[in-house]
């Protein structure tokens, strides 16, 4: 994606980027220079968007004890 800078130094953020970051009119953004010289844009007013797999992370519960798992693998009940 690319954008053109106006004579006033303004750039329109591409729609795909706005949608990904949840940027709407009035949203503040930060521009940060990375170690490799690239510039990264992030929302200034909240945490960055989570990745598509982040919502799948979690814990299923306490689960079985080691003894119970060993009993199952040995065929004991």
């Amino acid at each position: 994606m690319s954008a053109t800078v106006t004579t006033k130094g303004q750039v329109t953020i591409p729609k795909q980027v706005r949608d990904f970051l949840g940027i709407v009119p009035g949203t503040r953004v930060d521009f940060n220079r990375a170690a490799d010289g690239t510039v990264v844009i992030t929302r200034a007013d909240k945490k960055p968007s989570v990745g598509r797999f982040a919502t799948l992370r979690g814990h299923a519960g306490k689960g079985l004890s080691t003894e119970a798992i060993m009993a199952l693998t040995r065929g004991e009940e």
Side-chain angles (χ1 to χ4, degrees):
M1 287 178 265
S2 63
T4 303
V5 179
T6 67
T7 56
K8 292 183 176 184
Q10 298 171 331
V11 175
T12 299
I13 300 170
K15 183 172 180 354
Q16 289 176 320
V17 176
R18 292 191 320 263
D19 290 346
F20 178 74
L21 293 174
I23 296 173
V24 295
T27 302
R28 294 189 53 80
V29 295
D30 284 332
F31 297 91
N32 299 298
R33 195 168 108 198
D36 64 358
T38 59
V39 175
V40 179
I41 182 174
T42 56
R43 285 189 63 158
D45 59 345
K46 74 172 200 175
K47 295 179 185 176
S49 297
V50 294
R52 61 182 172 161
F53 295 112
T55 57
L56 301 175
R57 288 184 68 182
H59 194 277
K62 185 176 180 193
L64 299 173
S65 67
T66 303
E67 292 79 20
I69 293 171
M70 294 304 292
L72 285 172
T73 58
R74 293 183 188 124
E76 303 168 1
E77 290 193 32

